[in-house]
Amino acid sequence: MKKGFILMLVLSLFCLSIPQTTIFAENNKVVINVDSLNVRSGPGLSYSVVAGLTQNQELEVLAKEGDWIKVKISNSLSGWVASWLVTEKKKESKQTESVKEEKLESTADGLRIRKGPGTSFQVVGSVNKGDLLQFKERSESWVKISYQQFEGWVHRDYVKGLPSETTTPSKDEKVIIKKGKITATSLNVRLSPSLNAVAIGSLKQDELVNIYAEKYDWYEINIGNKTGWVHKDYVKLTSEDAPSNNDENDENDDTTSTGQIAVVTATSLNVRDDFSLKGKVIAQVKKGDQLEVVSEQNNWCQVKLPDGKTGWVAGWYVEKKTSTPPSHSDSSDNKTSTVSIIYDTTNIRSGPSTKDSIIHRAMQGDSFTIVEKVNDWYKITLSDGSTGYVAGWIVSTTGEVAKVERPGMNQYLTGKTVVIDPGHGGRDSGAKGVRGTFEKALTLRAAKLLDEKLRAAGANPVLTRNQDVYVSLNNRVSLSHYYQADAFVSLHFDSSVYPSANGVTTYYYNKSKDYSLGQSIQTELVKYTTLRDRGVQYGNYHILRTNNRPSVLLELGFLSNITEEALVGTSHYQEQITTAIFNGLAYEFKK
């Protein structure tokens, strides 16, 4: 009996030492979420590659072992893929598909569509209030949409109908009672309506806010995806309809005589009963429509519609011409290329350089005919018949003329491979904040937003994980080596036994390989977040020590500090840190 007992004990220990493999039901599937994926003969990067697959391919799951999933490639071939490079196809995938088919509605005239999720990205087009946009995806404060020939990103504050907004409102859902604009240079947002309350963030001058409640001399407002309180002395109430960049105080108040026609340059343009965005929409006209101008007021044109009625259209969305058609009109006129001005007071210069003198300032929505393209500048015809030059990267164009990409820091990221490592995940939650915030969730949010920004700039970002899964430190480093990363950036949030500890820190291991990268990113983090600069410090961390590529580990705020915990969870802060890292990488690659 004693020998039998020993034998059973040995067998049980042997079984425990065998890696635990979970067999999956037949219908489980995964979808590849990277451009190319190696399928290996066993569950690890050391096994040989048996096949290569491409993004969006669906595979049946056969088994799972640790961080690896065994998939069926064909009836005769199967292999293993890294779990952090695929996404499980859940049963509610049909519901997800229907969400992507949702239409959003623009709530602002002249809403800019950008190439990436941030104001640093080039404007590729614009839409008007009431236009319906195809929803693609959401990334913090930005929404990816498609509209006719345009695809890009718009700020979520100027669209309605987002999937989360179409659900049945809960009892606790906030109701917007007013809208306002911040008048202070920098205004603290507090947890409660009191100067003694903890500041959870700050807003800058001219930022727009939704107001949900009033208490004493305070407004409850939105900051990112949360709410807080600001003193009403520093908030100017605004019209609900008017976006911040539409000023109607143009110098031209006098009326003009008839004898002109207005050619619509916007894809779809509202006709209103008054020369203001508050005017009621009485009709719509489309691009290319020619309307007789009756009069002008405050940069608005009163036009005669085909049915004989009159109404007002925004002057920055039409091009005015004399009513006498040119004698040489033929089919080639339809191919005339034009530029539309995106920003108020855009400089028109005497030559194709920022060193040339300014001869005119154009307003948002002004449209000009392109004579020719000179390097990155367009030579255009002004209203008085003279010509000037406008920078090609600050206008949108129509016609067959070649478009100009905005020169800037984005160009240094094109083609660069950046491995983004959202710290922790799965069973490893990382630090836990005073109010219960998990580090692993924050790092993943930041990683996905940074991924979007880098992709929009033409970089090749690689995420070590894109969902809440555990990935070993060795596998994270292996990905850096496998992809020959130009930079490896590990994202973390700090914690300390001292509740007052605060600030941002960047860690490096090898001074000759890592320090310069860390310095570039730390400089931008401090500039964008304005948090305490804890410097670029030596860190003996596994993912830095064993990494032969330029690598840094970032601590992006303290979850043990109740004030910083509230701040780092806001969309505004996530935007700040990812923009800072984006710029830091660009500056480093520029070197």
Side-chain angles (χ1 to χ4, degrees):
M1 286 181 65
K2 187 175 180 180
K3 288 182 179 179
F5 176 76
I6 293 171
L7 180 61
M8 288 177 64
L9 181 61
V10 170
L11 286 173
S12 63
L13 289 171
F14 175 74
C15 291
L16 286 172
S17 68
I18 297 173
Q20 298 298 303
T21 301
T22 306
I23 306 300
F24 279 76
E26 203 174 301
N27 294 329
N28 280 16
K29 291 186 177 181
V30 291
V31 180
I32 298 170
N33 52 39
V34 291
D35 293 335
S36 61
L37 178 64
N38 288 331
V39 183
R40 298 184 179 272
S41 59
L45 291 171
S46 60
Y47 289 91
S48 60
V49 177
V50 297
L53 301 173
T54 56
Q55 193 169 30
N56 296 327
Q57 281 189 258
E58 262 182 39
L59 304 165
E60 184 181 334
V61 176
L62 301 177
K64 183 174 181 181
E65 185 174 307
D67 296 333
W68 292 80
I69 297 174
K70 188 175 184 181
V71 295
K72 180 180 179 180
I73 302 169
S74 65
N75 290 333
S76 59
L77 182 63
S78 63
W80 295 83
V81 296
S83 62
W84 60 91
L85 300 179
V86 297
T87 303
E88 284 188 58
K89 189 177 180 184
K90 299 177 182 178
K91 292 181 179 178
E92 56 268 25
S93 59
K94 289 185 178 179
Q95 184 179 351
T96 304
E97 290 295 323
S98 66
V99 169
K100 289 191 176 181
E101 294 299 319
E102 295 228 14
K103 295 280 188 180
L104 309 180
E105 183 179 339
S106 169
T107 60
D109 276 322
L111 175 60
R112 296 162 189 167
I113 305 173
R114 296 185 179 271
K115 189 175 180 181
T119 54
S120 62
F121 289 97
Q122 184 177 5
V123 176
V124 297
S126 64
V127 293
N128 296 322
K129 186 175 181 180
D131 285 342
L132 296 180
L133 319 173
Q134 185 74 52
F135 172 73
K136 295 289 185 183
E137 60 180 288
R138 186 192 305 192
S139 183
E140 293 295 334
S141 299
W142 294 84
V143 182
K144 190 174 186 181
I145 57 94
S146 63
Y147 178 76
Q148 296 182 358
Q149 77 270 32
F150 300 116
E151 182 170 293
W153 298 81
V154 297
H155 200 280
R156 71 177 185 188
D157 286 352
Y158 299 116
V159 293
K160 63 181 181 181
L162 285 168
S164 61
E165 296 174 3
T166 59
T167 56
T168 305
S170 66
K171 292 180 181 179
D172 297 328
E173 189 173 353
K174 301 285 186 182
V175 177
I176 300 171
I177 59 172
K178 296 176 184 176
K179 293 197 173 187
K181 183 190 291 186
I182 303 301
T183 59
T185 305
S186 179
L187 181 62
N188 283 332
V189 182
R190 301 185 181 275
L191 274 176
S192 59
S194 167
L195 288 172
N196 296 322
V198 173
I200 61 171
S202 64
L203 297 169
K204 294 180 181 178
Q205 191 170 13
D206 294 333
E207 282 197 63
L208 296 178
V209 292
N210 297 325
I211 299 171
Y212 303 109
E214 289 185 57
K215 192 170 184 180
Y216 314 122
D217 292 326
W218 295 75
Y219 287 137
E220 186 183 18
I221 56 92
N222 66 296
I223 177 168
N225 56 1
K226 297 184 179 182
T227 61
W229 294 84
V230 294
H231 200 281
K232 62 168 58 175
D233 286 351
Y234 303 107
V235 181
K236 179 183 178 182
L237 298 181
T238 62
S239 164
E240 186 176 13
D241 291 333
S244 61
N245 60 346
N246 284 339
D247 295 323
E248 297 169 7
N249 56 353
D250 195 89
E251 296 174 3
N252 184 16
D253 288 333
D254 57 328
T255 59
T256 60
S257 60
T258 58
Q260 287 187 313
I261 58 171
V263 181
V264 179
T265 58
T267 306
S268 176
L269 181 61
N270 290 328
V271 183
R272 300 179 184 271
D273 65 358
D274 194 10
F275 52 92
S276 163
L277 289 173
K278 298 177 184 177
K280 181 182 177 183
V281 177
I282 59 173
Q284 278 194 328
V285 290
K286 62 182 185 298
K287 187 173 182 178
D289 285 351
Q290 299 188 17
L291 309 168
E292 181 184 341
V293 178
V294 178
S295 65
E296 286 190 75
Q297 190 79 22
N298 288 354
N299 206 20
W300 286 73
C301 296
Q302 188 180 25
V303 295
K304 183 180 288 187
L305 300 173
D307 61 4
K309 295 180 181 179
T310 60
W312 294 85
V313 294
W316 54 92
Y317 289 123
V318 297
E319 181 182 356
K320 285 170 285 185
K321 297 181 179 179
T322 58
S323 57
T324 306
S327 59
H328 60 277
S329 61
D330 55 33
S331 60
S332 65
D333 287 343
N334 295 328
K335 295 184 179 179
T336 300
S337 298
T338 61
V339 297
S340 294
I341 303 300
I342 296 168
Y343 305 102
D344 279 342
T345 64
T346 292
N347 293 329
I348 309 298
R349 297 183 180 270
S350 59
S353 164
T354 54
K355 296 178 181 178
D356 289 299
S357 60
I358 299 169
I359 60 174
H360 180 69
R361 292 188 191 276
M363 303 301 289
Q364 180 188 6
D366 288 351
S367 182
F368 303 97
T369 301
I370 297 174
V371 178
E372 62 178 324
K373 179 176 175 286
V374 181
N375 297 324
D376 290 334
W377 294 71
Y378 295 119
K379 185 178 182 181
I380 59 174
T381 303
L382 303 179
S383 57
D384 62 0
S386 63
T387 58
Y389 293 83
V390 63
W393 60 90
I394 56 172
V395 296
S396 62
T397 62
T398 59
E400 297 180 355
V401 67
K403 289 181 170 52
V404 176
E405 289 292 330
R406 177 179 180 176
M409 299 310 293
N410 293 10
Q411 63 186 301
Y412 302 110
L413 290 158
T414 303
K416 297 294 185 181
T417 298
V418 180
V419 173
I420 309 167
D421 176 41
H424 310 285
R427 64 177 182 267
D428 175 13
S429 298
K432 184 177 180 182
V434 182
R435 302 168 66 192
T437 306
F438 285 117
E439 181 182 4
K440 67 175 183 178
L442 287 177
T443 59
L444 187 57
R445 276 178 64 189
K448 287 182 175 180
L449 186 54
L450 179 59
D451 175 77
E452 294 284 5
K453 292 181 187 296
L454 290 172
R455 285 186 188 281
N460 304 313
V462 177
L463 289 170
T464 59
R465 67 181 180 95
N466 69 349
Q467 52 189 315
D468 186 18
V469 294
Y470 175 79
V471 181
S472 68
L473 297 179
N474 284 334
N475 281 342
R476 295 172 195 253
V477 176
S478 294
L479 279 172
S480 179
H481 296 165
Y482 176 78
Y483 285 101
Q484 291 291 289
D486 294 295
F488 175 93
V489 182
S490 190
L491 308 179
H492 292 262
F493 289 84
D494 224 331
S495 184
S496 171
V497 294
Y498 301 103
S500 60
N502 64 333
V504 290
T505 319
T506 297
Y507 290 96
Y508 73 95
Y509 179 78
N510 185 315
K511 191 153 191 175
S512 62
K513 176 174 66 73
D514 308 327
Y515 184 78
S516 178
L517 174 63
Q519 202 171 37
S520 295
I521 294 177
Q522 178 71 7
T523 300
E524 293 299 299
L525 282 172
V526 173
K527 182 169 73 175
Y528 273 87
T529 66
T530 67
L531 294 186
R532 177 190 170 196
D533 182 3
R534 299 176 66 90
V536 182
Q537 301 183 27
Y538 172 81
N540 188 14
Y541 296 107
H542 181 89
I543 56 173
L544 304 181
R545 185 176 63 252
T546 60
N547 204 322
N548 63 27
R549 310 302 299 169
S551 51
V552 290
L553 184 149
L554 311 178
E555 294 286 1
L556 301 166
F558 278 77
L559 297 182
S560 52
N561 182 314
I562 190 169
T563 303
E564 284 196 358
E565 181 191 12
L567 172 65
V568 299
T570 64
S571 290
H572 180 65
Y573 187 80
Q574 294 279 320
E575 287 284 347
Q576 286 179 321
I577 57 175
T578 51
T579 299
I581 298 167
F582 177 94
N583 287 346
L585 287 165
Y587 280 120
E588 182 61 20
F589 295 143
K590 183 182 179 182
K591 295 176 185 178

